[in-house]
Structure formats: structure tokens, C-alpha cells
Amino acid sequence: MDYDKLFQTIVNAATLGSTYALIALGYTIVYGILKLLNFAHGDVFMVGAYVGFGILTLFGGALDPSISIWLVLILMTIAAMVACAVLGVVIERFAYRPLRSAPRIAPLISALGVSFFLSYSVQLLFGAQQRTYDSFNWDGGKLFEPAITIGSFTISWLRVITIVASIVLMLALWYLVSRTRTGKAMRATSIDLDAAAMMGIDIDKVIRFAFVLAGALAGAAGVLFALRTYLVPSMGFTPGLFAFTAAVIGGIGSIPGAMLGGILLGTVEALTVTYVTEWIGIPVGLSNLVIFSLLIVFLLIRPQGILGRPDIKKV
Amino acid sequence: MATLLELKGVSMAFGGLTCVDALDMHVDEGEIVSVIGPNGAGKTTLFNLVTGVYEPTAGDIVFAGESIKGLTPHKITQRGIARTFQTLRLFLNMSVRENVMAAAYGHTKAGVFRSMLRTPGMRREEREIRALAEKRLAFFGERLMGYRWDQPAYSLSYANRRRLEIARATATNPRLLLLDEPAAGMNPKETQEITELISQLREEGGYTILVIEHDMHVVEGISDRVVALDHGVKIAEGTFEQVATSPRVVEAYLGTGAMERK
Amino acid sequence: MSEAQGPRIGEDEWVARSGENIERHRLLRLADRVPGWARLLLFVAAVAAIPLITDDGYINVVVFDTLIFCLLAIGLNVVVGWGGLLDLGYIAFFGVGAYTYAILSSEQFGLHVSSFAVLAISVVVGALLGLLVGLPSWRLSGDYLAIVTLFVYQIFISLATNGNDLFGFDLTGGVNGIANLDPFDLFGRELVVAKQGIFNSNYVYLALGIFVVVFVALYLVNHSRIGRAWRALREDELAAELMGMPTDWLKLLAFAFGAAVAALTGSLFASLKVGVFPETFSLTLLITVYAMLILGGVGSQTGAVLGAVVVYVFLEALRDPDVSGWVFYVTILLALLLVVRPRWMVAGVLAATVAFGFVVHAIAGAIDETWTTSAGPDADSVTRFLDAWVVIPATPGDARAIAYIGLIALVLFCTTVKGVWRWLALVPTLYLAAFVWENIMSADPDVTRFVLLGALLVSVMVIRPSGILGERRVEIV
């Protein structure tokens, strides 16, 4: 039993899972209220990563920052969160709101158009080549040094930061949704939009709030994600798809469901990549095939997800 | 007369809410039976159960001697049960004729390949469907005739839409016709026409008819038998006079104490 | 909740307002009078004439590719338009068809099956796969089916990209795909792809022939009881089910049809190519096909074809830097004509923009010489005008992103204001648009065209959700 591999897989699962959870929350909050699959959300995540890149460049880049790199990181994250929150609101206002009473397919196609527009605009501005935060060189490689050591197992600073930041954000979200008035209004609206409107809840404001939350989380996730890998304009698609799946598995519309789904999916991915491909004897690149096949089966068995309500099934 | 439709101890519960509670009732071949009751009594739920939109949580539904519980709606329709809707569900953007032709699907069979190849059999079937639709529409006289056939359904007046929906239902060649508040929203003259129409449907079309209605003039004018429901339970059954004077029915509509005041 | 502007799509109107409902433009009503078969004939004649008129291989390739897109669009129309299902994995079937051809007609396994047989096999494979993939629609509602189809797409890509090592078996050639495909074999006669380096226009005729067959076949199915049932299903699914139509099976049928057409098209497509590679079957391709269908009008075969032609020609035209500039400015002009009322005010706005531009240019030049460039002596008059008018800095740098985002913000702002304010806001917006175009977009036309397509898609959806040729329908939510 290779304990080191097992341990790394677990840490991997937590890291991946926390990122997926952040993005999944955005999908689930929006779907809960508008019953809309926000295809553009993955690209909002991507924009967040690029905003972070822009801020990093503004302060001189990874190798010679004009202020402490850790401060830069915080600024990057905040900037990404703000930018993506604004972006989310703008998208809602101009691409979704006019279509609220249109046939259901219309906002979905509009979302595809927005996704297209965002990814190609970023390509126009930043080029199609890979960019990177160059996190390996931050502060002499501090990010990859062990932060926590348990016996012979280590967890790097990078992973610790990712996981902790995600947890903090999720807690903040949980607080906002369950303890504030707007949060309660949001939950009411996602259960029954018409009834909520008749109770005097300002639907437009609630929807704006939802997109702000979704955008902010996605922006932060973008920066955290880009720390571990590189940036390309198309980077939003697969994590977006995974995150949306996580939201569905956890129960679309359910916030704890999105968090649970994210962790679960991160675990499935980590396990598949490390172990399952070995067991079956297929190349690692095919792990997606395994994951998506499992997901299809899961959806057929339990379309409402783990924590979802069964009303999703066809009448 | 043979029993065409029978409900045996049928219950329908949604979570904690029981809409229909151990209902026993039957409709014999050739009868016109009316179902009455205050709002929320479970009448439309009854229709949804019979047509397969809901599956009963208890009990059985037997049509022409065979259980239809659990069958999908289109299969039940193909067996001979058709309905109209309380809130009108026409195919609005299709023409009047097409609305009725569409309903002939269940008893026609030209498939994909025969349609693509335009076989003589397929073409003959199309002609038959068209003729059937026109015949069913002709039943309603001038109102749904001639140039109206090619008009989109949304251009029809309200009363004509109701008639179209009945015509469409009859195109499925049913044995049992379920009419859900056919006179809703109609003025007295139109209501009178509907009353005559329903009798004509039985006389000329040979359909067995189960009607949900609130307008007691219509109920009185057409019914062989009346069944009264309240809160999902059958509270009276019999001729119109019997049911109208039944204490439980009066109470359900007018509240307790109404009987005493009477 | 919001202002009423006639029958709102998505709400049922009790009072018949048929005049407003069938609000089709004069030109379209004129076109409606031409019977369907005549329209098809005209289209075929027009396309067939092109290889006769021109020898230019590039144009013939474009025509061929346009026909491929027309096929893809009418196939997708069956699923989305007639069946009402959102199939986001549609391109996977296209890919399966392409790989089927590649596997059966190349050196990969030494098979050289006759091409029409390959096409037939593709249709069957596509239909079966479509049935399989569509099965979840029995249990899952529309949104969920969309997700499942996305998964199927991912599975396909995963298989195509990594299929070179399946338990030691090389099925798909991996990232490098399968190359050296046989050219199409027309009843024993091989259709050479290129004669002396020039594209063989016989491929255009082949594609045209297949297109006509598929178009007519789909048309015939749609004008039968099945098509009627599909229409009824779209109108009101529950009512259709209760009128004896097996809605689940009908949806599955639509799905399978679409998949079969896509697979057939994939094989045809592959016959022309040097090889098939996973990256061809991208999300971009999927959204492009959707854009074509949506812009042309969902549910209408004619619309699908029109959408395919317009969008593809538009995309190809935008590749050429000279042409793209013209297209850009002309489109802006047209958009202005649509948006600014009264129409003569357009001249006013344009004049103001030109004046504004010169002023800005002068100021910019005065502040810093490197902020403006001047065209060389060989440049044509248009370029010289643009250089004198638009600020084209020698080194744009960070201003690019700011200008771009600023333009988007300004454009959106213009849509929210009306009347005089709109005219005023349009002036800096137009100038900024020219700036962004000259400095950012025209430098990378391959990317720009997709940016514009995305923007177009959103705009059309917001303005006219039923597409350009689609009819505005009364609908029950």
C-alpha cells in the first residue's frame, strides 16, 4: 500500500474539489433562481484568472514584484472577485434579463454566445498562447515548500492556501445566504419565484445578488486555479463542465449540495487519475471518459442529485 | 349495459396531501355521467388519474375490462380514452385542421421510411386522416368549417377553441370522452349550445362521456347520472335531483347550517 | 413586470391578434409565395453554377464547406427545431461519422470500403448512437439531457484524443488522428481531391447531391404524421401525449435523425480531408452550427440553410484583412440604420463622429507623436483617411484592454438610453469602435470573427429570439 500516493491523492481531491465547489456554487445559485444553465460561468472563471494575470503584470510580474508577492496575491484575488462579480451582473442584465419570458432555449443560446464572446475576446487581448503566473518562482519557490508536515507526508503552501481560501469563501457565502435578508430572499426566490415576487421581494435585486456571489466565487477560483497551472482562453470549459456536474450531483439548487458535489467530484477525479486508470489499464488521458460515463450513470439513477428534491424528474 | 370505466378504491396522495381518497365509481357504456363538487374536490385530479398523467397511489382503474393503472398517457389514449382540458391546451400555432389531424396519430401507422418514400399506403393514410379531421370538425357545423380549417388555432374565438378541443379529442377515436368544464367561460347561449352538443356527441358519435362541470344547468340537461365529490371523497351519487337535494352536497357547496336554514 | 410590446413570446394571448403574430417582413412574404421545391431548385442551380463560373479552388472549397455546414444545420434543426431538445454534443456525431470514414477507408486498418457503403454505415452508426444517447431523455428533462449530451461530447473527445492506446489497440490515432484517407470513391471512380493542386470541383457536386437527398428526405418526414406529431409536441407536450402521441419516442426519433445526418455529413467531410483530428471537433464548431441555426430561425429548414450560408460566408470573408475591414464598417452602418430613429439622423451621427475623430486625433498627435501613425505614400485613400482619423498608437500596450472593455461598456450603455442621449453616446462609441478595430481586432481576424459571431448571437437572441427567419410564435409558458 503506497501511503504516500494515497495521501497525495487525498490532498489532490481536496484541492480539486474545493475549486470545483467554488465554481459549482455559482452554477447552483443561478440555476436555483432562474432555472438557467449559465454556460458562460466557466468563462467568467477564466476571466478571473486573466484579471489576476493582469494585476500580477501590473505589479511587475512574478520575478520582480514592486510590492510583496503575497500582497499581490491578495490584490489579484480581490480584483478577480470584483471584476467577475461586475461581469456577472453585466451578463445578466444584457444577455439574460431581456429573455426572461422567452422560450427556454433562448437564454441558453444567449449564454453560449456570451461564452464564445468572452473566450475569444480574451484571446484577442492576451493571445492564444499559454500564460502563467509563474508561481513556481514566487518568493523563491515558497509556494511549493511544505507548509504542513505529518510524519513523512507533506502538503505544500500552494495547496494549503487553495483549500483554506476556498473554505473561507464558502463560509462567507454560507453566512451571506443564511444570515442576511438578501440571502433569505434569494432562497425564497429559488423555491418559487412568482410567490417571492408577490411577497414583495425585489426579484431583480435578488438575481443581481446571485450573480455577484457567483461571479465573485468564480473569480477567486480562477486565481487559485491558475496558481497551479497555466492560462489559456479556453481554460474555462472543462473545469466549468466539471463544476456544473458537481452542482448537479450535489443537487442543483442546493448550496450545501454544490459544496458536497464539488468535493465528491474532486475525489472521483483524483481517484480515477491515480488508481482507476491503472486498474483498468487505460492511459491516464482517458480518465475523463471514465468520469463522464460514471456521471451519466449517476444522473440516470438519481437525477435530482444527492441533496436535491425529486421534483426535477419529468412529469 | 356494460361497465366501461371503473375506479376501485383509487387514492391519490402527493406527499401528505390526499387529493383523492379511496374513490369507487364507474361509468357504463353509452352513459353521460357528470362529476360535480366545489373547487379542490379532486375532479381534475380524477381526470388526470384516468388519463394516466398521475398514477394512483392506491387502488386500480379498469377500462373495458383491463387495468390501465401505470400505463403511459398515450397508451391509454390509444386504448380509447380522450379528454379536453380545463385551461384549454390547443396546438395554437398549428392550423385548426392540423390540430385535429395530429390527434389521429395513435390509430395510424405510417412510419419514418414510408413517409420518406411517400408510399401509396402512406398517401392513402394521409388522405384518410385529413378526411377524418374534416368530418370531426363538420360535427360543429358552420363554426369550424371551410376557410377556418386553415386558420391557425390562435385566431379562433374562445368558444370555438373549446369546440376545437372537443373535435380534436374525438379524432383519437375514443370510446370514452372526458370533458373538463366544457362550458367554462361561456355565455348562456353558448352554454345552451354546448349542452345540446354533448347530447349529440352521445347520440351521433356513440361516445360514453364523463363531464366535469360547475354550471348546474348543463349538468341537469345532460346527465344520466351525477357523482359529487368533496375533498377527494364521493359524497353523493344518483340522478341530478337526488344529488342536488342530498344534504351532504348542499353542505359541501353552502356550508354547514345551510341545511338547517333551508 | 416589464413593458408590454405586443404579444410577448412565452405568454398565451386569449384574444387573437393574428395580424401581429404573423409579422413577417414584406420581402419574406414575397419569398413565401415561391413554392418550396422551386426555392430548393434555385438554390441548387445557384450552387451548381459556381464551379462552372470560377476555377478558383479556394472558392470551391468554401462552397463545399458551406454545404457541409448546411447539412449540419438542417440535421441540428431536426433535434432542436422539430424535437425541441438541446443537443450540446451534436458535434460528437459529426466526429463519429468522420472517424468512421477514416477507419474504413484508409491505411489505419487496411480497409478500403466503398464510399457509399461507408456513408450508409455512418448513417446507421449515427442513428444507433443517437438512440443510445437520446435514451436518457426518457428519464431526464431538457436541461439534464443537455448536460448528458455534453458528457457524451467529452467522452468522444477523450476517446478520439487518447484512442491510440486502448489496451494496446490503436483505434483513433490519438492527437495526431488518422491520416492518408482515401478520396471519395464514386461508383468505382475515384474522386481525386485535387487535380494539379486545384481543388476538384466534383466534390461540390457530390456534396450538393447528398445535401438535396437529405434535405428532401427530412422535408418529407416533416410533412407526415410524424412531423405533425413533432409540431404538436413542441406546442404542448402534455396535450400531445394525451392525444395519443408517444412523446418520448418522438423525441428519441428526432435525436436519432439529427445524429444520423451529422454522422453522414462527417463521413462526407472526411473524404475530402487529408486526415481527421480530434481538434477539428471543437466547442467552437458546435457553437458555430448553433449560431447558424438560431440566426436562420429554428424549426425552419430554409432558415437553417440560410443561416449556414450567411454565417459561414461571413466567417470566411472576415478572414481576409481587407475584406473584414469593409464588412465591419458596413455592418456598423447597417446597425446604425436599424437603431437610430429617425433614419436621417444617422447622417448626423456619422458627421459628428468624423468630426469628433479628427479632433481626438489632433489632440492625441499633439500630446505625443508616437500616438499616431501616418500611412506610407503607397497606401490607398481609405487607409490614409483612417490613419488621419483614428488614433493608431505605435505601441498600444495596456491601452488595448482598457479600450476594449470601454467599448463594450459604451455599446451596452447606448442600448440603455434612447433619443438624443443615444445619438450623443453613439459618437464616442463609434469612434472607439473604429479605434478598437484598427488597433486590436483587425490584427487578428481569425479570432475577431468569432468575437463578432458571439456578439451577434447574443444580440439576435435578445432582439428576436425566434431567429431572423423564424416566426414569432404564441407560446404557453
Side-chain angles (χ1 to χ4, degrees), chain A residues 178-194:
Chain A
S178 54
R179 291 294 153 98
T180 64
R181 269 181 59 190
T182 324
K184 287 206 184 93
M186 216 171 72
R187 277 181 292 146
T189 315
S190 73
I191 294 178
D192 190 334
L193 192 141
D194 294 314

PDB file of all heavy atoms in Angstrom, chain A residues 178-194:
ATOM      1  N   SER A 178     -27.450  32.482   4.532  1.00  0.00           N
ATOM      2  CA  SER A 178     -28.383  32.066   5.568  1.00  0.00           C
ATOM      3  C   SER A 178     -28.626  33.104   6.637  1.00  0.00           C
ATOM      4  O   SER A 178     -29.619  33.032   7.352  1.00  0.00           O
ATOM      5  CB  SER A 178     -27.908  30.763   6.207  1.00  0.00           C
ATOM      6  OG  SER A 178     -26.574  30.916   6.654  1.00  0.00           O
ATOM      7  N   ARG A 179     -27.770  34.112   6.738  1.00  0.00           N
ATOM      8  CA  ARG A 179     -27.960  35.048   7.836  1.00  0.00           C
ATOM      9  C   ARG A 179     -28.412  36.433   7.416  1.00  0.00           C
ATOM     10  O   ARG A 179     -28.848  37.222   8.222  1.00  0.00           O
ATOM     11  CB  ARG A 179     -26.648  35.204   8.627  1.00  0.00           C
ATOM     12  CG  ARG A 179     -26.277  33.963   9.408  1.00  0.00           C
ATOM     13  CD  ARG A 179     -27.288  33.693  10.524  1.00  0.00           C
ATOM     14  NE  ARG A 179     -27.339  32.279  10.830  1.00  0.00           N
ATOM     15  CZ  ARG A 179     -26.696  31.689  11.819  1.00  0.00           C
ATOM     16  NH1 ARG A 179     -25.927  32.406  12.598  1.00  0.00           N
ATOM     17  NH2 ARG A 179     -26.801  30.405  12.014  1.00  0.00           N
ATOM     18  N   THR A 180     -28.297  36.749   6.116  1.00  0.00           N
ATOM     19  CA  THR A 180     -28.708  38.090   5.725  1.00  0.00           C
ATOM     20  C   THR A 180     -30.094  38.052   5.107  1.00  0.00           C
ATOM     21  O   THR A 180     -30.573  37.013   4.659  1.00  0.00           O
ATOM     22  CB  THR A 180     -27.747  38.706   4.699  1.00  0.00           C
ATOM     23  OG1 THR A 180     -27.802  37.928   3.499  1.00  0.00           O
ATOM     24  CG2 THR A 180     -26.333  38.745   5.230  1.00  0.00           C
ATOM     25  N   ARG A 181     -30.715  39.233   5.053  1.00  0.00           N
ATOM     26  CA  ARG A 181     -32.060  39.295   4.487  1.00  0.00           C
ATOM     27  C   ARG A 181     -32.046  38.962   3.004  1.00  0.00           C
ATOM     28  O   ARG A 181     -32.911  38.246   2.518  1.00  0.00           O
ATOM     29  CB  ARG A 181     -32.649  40.691   4.701  1.00  0.00           C
ATOM     30  CG  ARG A 181     -33.424  40.791   5.983  1.00  0.00           C
ATOM     31  CD  ARG A 181     -34.009  42.150   6.161  1.00  0.00           C
ATOM     32  NE  ARG A 181     -34.902  42.473   5.062  1.00  0.00           N
ATOM     33  CZ  ARG A 181     -35.391  43.684   4.872  1.00  0.00           C
ATOM     34  NH1 ARG A 181     -35.052  44.671   5.680  1.00  0.00           N
ATOM     35  NH2 ARG A 181     -36.190  43.936   3.880  1.00  0.00           N
ATOM     36  N   THR A 182     -31.052  39.522   2.315  1.00  0.00           N
ATOM     37  CA  THR A 182     -30.997  39.252   0.878  1.00  0.00           C
ATOM     38  C   THR A 182     -30.786  37.770   0.629  1.00  0.00           C
ATOM     39  O   THR A 182     -31.343  37.198  -0.316  1.00  0.00           O
ATOM     40  CB  THR A 182     -29.860  40.040   0.218  1.00  0.00           C
ATOM     41  OG1 THR A 182     -29.757  41.303   0.855  1.00  0.00           O
ATOM     42  CG2 THR A 182     -30.123  40.240  -1.246  1.00  0.00           C
ATOM     43  N   GLY A 183     -30.010  37.169   1.479  1.00  0.00           N
ATOM     44  CA  GLY A 183     -29.779  35.744   1.339  1.00  0.00           C
ATOM     45  C   GLY A 183     -31.057  34.955   1.498  1.00  0.00           C
ATOM     46  O   GLY A 183     -31.345  34.025   0.748  1.00  0.00           O
ATOM     47  N   LYS A 184     -31.832  35.352   2.488  1.00  0.00           N
ATOM     48  CA  LYS A 184     -33.105  34.656   2.696  1.00  0.00           C
ATOM     49  C   LYS A 184     -34.029  34.893   1.509  1.00  0.00           C
ATOM     50  O   LYS A 184     -34.720  33.991   1.054  1.00  0.00           O
ATOM     51  CB  LYS A 184     -33.791  35.169   3.971  1.00  0.00           C
ATOM     52  CG  LYS A 184     -33.161  34.708   5.233  1.00  0.00           C
ATOM     53  CD  LYS A 184     -34.177  34.685   6.387  1.00  0.00           C
ATOM     54  CE  LYS A 184     -33.465  34.307   7.671  1.00  0.00           C
ATOM     55  NZ  LYS A 184     -32.998  35.451   8.451  1.00  0.00           N
ATOM     56  N   ALA A 185     -33.997  36.128   1.018  1.00  0.00           N
ATOM     57  CA  ALA A 185     -34.825  36.437  -0.149  1.00  0.00           C
ATOM     58  C   ALA A 185     -34.408  35.558  -1.318  1.00  0.00           C
ATOM     59  O   ALA A 185     -35.235  35.062  -2.083  1.00  0.00           O
ATOM     60  CB  ALA A 185     -34.677  37.906  -0.511  1.00  0.00           C
ATOM     61  N   MET A 186     -33.112  35.332  -1.413  1.00  0.00           N
ATOM     62  CA  MET A 186     -32.598  34.512  -2.503  1.00  0.00           C
ATOM     63  C   MET A 186     -33.125  33.092  -2.386  1.00  0.00           C
ATOM     64  O   MET A 186     -33.531  32.477  -3.363  1.00  0.00           O
ATOM     65  CB  MET A 186     -31.063  34.501  -2.437  1.00  0.00           C
ATOM     66  CG  MET A 186     -30.414  34.495  -3.781  1.00  0.00           C
ATOM     67  SD  MET A 186     -28.657  34.748  -3.661  1.00  0.00           S
ATOM     68  CE  MET A 186     -28.153  33.198  -2.989  1.00  0.00           C
ATOM     69  N   ARG A 187     -33.107  32.570  -1.185  1.00  0.00           N
ATOM     70  CA  ARG A 187     -33.569  31.196  -1.013  1.00  0.00           C
ATOM     71  C   ARG A 187     -35.052  31.090  -1.323  1.00  0.00           C
ATOM     72  O   ARG A 187     -35.512  30.146  -1.960  1.00  0.00           O
ATOM     73  CB  ARG A 187     -33.273  30.699   0.399  1.00  0.00           C
ATOM     74  CG  ARG A 187     -31.846  30.205   0.540  1.00  0.00           C
ATOM     75  CD  ARG A 187     -31.544  29.703   1.916  1.00  0.00           C
ATOM     76  NE  ARG A 187     -31.538  30.774   2.878  1.00  0.00           N
ATOM     77  CZ  ARG A 187     -31.940  30.629   4.138  1.00  0.00           C
ATOM     78  NH1 ARG A 187     -32.396  29.486   4.563  1.00  0.00           N
ATOM     79  NH2 ARG A 187     -31.899  31.644   4.961  1.00  0.00           N
ATOM     80  N   ALA A 188     -35.797  32.111  -0.884  1.00  0.00           N
ATOM     81  CA  ALA A 188     -37.230  32.096  -1.176  1.00  0.00           C
ATOM     82  C   ALA A 188     -37.468  32.140  -2.679  1.00  0.00           C
ATOM     83  O   ALA A 188     -38.291  31.396  -3.217  1.00  0.00           O
ATOM     84  CB  ALA A 188     -37.899  33.287  -0.507  1.00  0.00           C
ATOM     85  N   THR A 189     -36.730  32.990  -3.356  1.00  0.00           N
ATOM     86  CA  THR A 189     -36.918  33.127  -4.797  1.00  0.00           C
ATOM     87  C   THR A 189     -36.584  31.843  -5.522  1.00  0.00           C
ATOM     88  O   THR A 189     -37.213  31.490  -6.510  1.00  0.00           O
ATOM     89  CB  THR A 189     -36.025  34.263  -5.341  1.00  0.00           C
ATOM     90  OG1 THR A 189     -36.117  35.386  -4.480  1.00  0.00           O
ATOM     91  CG2 THR A 189     -36.448  34.658  -6.730  1.00  0.00           C
ATOM     92  N   SER A 190     -35.601  31.117  -5.013  1.00  0.00           N
ATOM     93  CA  SER A 190     -35.238  29.906  -5.740  1.00  0.00           C
ATOM     94  C   SER A 190     -36.259  28.801  -5.528  1.00  0.00           C
ATOM     95  O   SER A 190     -36.338  27.875  -6.319  1.00  0.00           O
ATOM     96  CB  SER A 190     -33.833  29.429  -5.348  1.00  0.00           C
ATOM     97  OG  SER A 190     -33.851  28.869  -4.070  1.00  0.00           O
ATOM     98  N   ILE A 191     -37.052  28.918  -4.474  1.00  0.00           N
ATOM     99  CA  ILE A 191     -38.082  27.903  -4.282  1.00  0.00           C
ATOM    100  C   ILE A 191     -39.287  28.220  -5.159  1.00  0.00           C
ATOM    101  O   ILE A 191     -39.833  27.354  -5.820  1.00  0.00           O
ATOM    102  CB  ILE A 191     -38.512  27.833  -2.795  1.00  0.00           C
ATOM    103  CG1 ILE A 191     -37.342  27.348  -1.959  1.00  0.00           C
ATOM    104  CG2 ILE A 191     -39.708  26.906  -2.646  1.00  0.00           C
ATOM    105  CD1 ILE A 191     -37.644  27.285  -0.483  1.00  0.00           C
ATOM    106  N   ASP A 192     -39.693  29.470  -5.167  1.00  0.00           N
ATOM    107  CA  ASP A 192     -40.845  29.844  -6.003  1.00  0.00           C
ATOM    108  C   ASP A 192     -40.734  31.318  -6.352  1.00  0.00           C
ATOM    109  O   ASP A 192     -41.040  32.170  -5.539  1.00  0.00           O
ATOM    110  CB  ASP A 192     -42.144  29.568  -5.233  1.00  0.00           C
ATOM    111  CG  ASP A 192     -43.363  29.696  -6.127  1.00  0.00           C
ATOM    112  OD1 ASP A 192     -43.314  30.430  -7.125  1.00  0.00           O
ATOM    113  OD2 ASP A 192     -44.378  29.058  -5.811  1.00  0.00           O
ATOM    114  N   LEU A 193     -40.312  31.565  -7.580  1.00  0.00           N
ATOM    115  CA  LEU A 193     -40.040  32.929  -7.983  1.00  0.00           C
ATOM    116  C   LEU A 193     -41.288  33.802  -7.948  1.00  0.00           C
ATOM    117  O   LEU A 193     -41.253  34.914  -7.434  1.00  0.00           O
ATOM    118  CB  LEU A 193     -39.426  32.940  -9.391  1.00  0.00           C
ATOM    119  CG  LEU A 193     -38.801  34.250  -9.876  1.00  0.00           C
ATOM    120  CD1 LEU A 193     -37.540  33.939 -10.661  1.00  0.00           C
ATOM    121  CD2 LEU A 193     -39.762  35.018 -10.752  1.00  0.00           C
ATOM    122  N   ASP A 194     -42.371  33.276  -8.466  1.00  0.00           N
ATOM    123  CA  ASP A 194     -43.598  34.082  -8.527  1.00  0.00           C
ATOM    124  C   ASP A 194     -44.098  34.408  -7.133  1.00  0.00           C
ATOM    125  O   ASP A 194     -44.510  35.526  -6.858  1.00  0.00           O
ATOM    126  CB  ASP A 194     -44.677  33.343  -9.326  1.00  0.00           C
ATOM    127  CG  ASP A 194     -44.264  33.195 -10.775  1.00  0.00           C
ATOM    128  OD1 ASP A 194     -43.805  34.199 -11.351  1.00  0.00           O
ATOM    129  OD2 ASP A 194     -44.399  32.084 -11.315  1.00  0.00           O
TER     130      ASP A 194
END
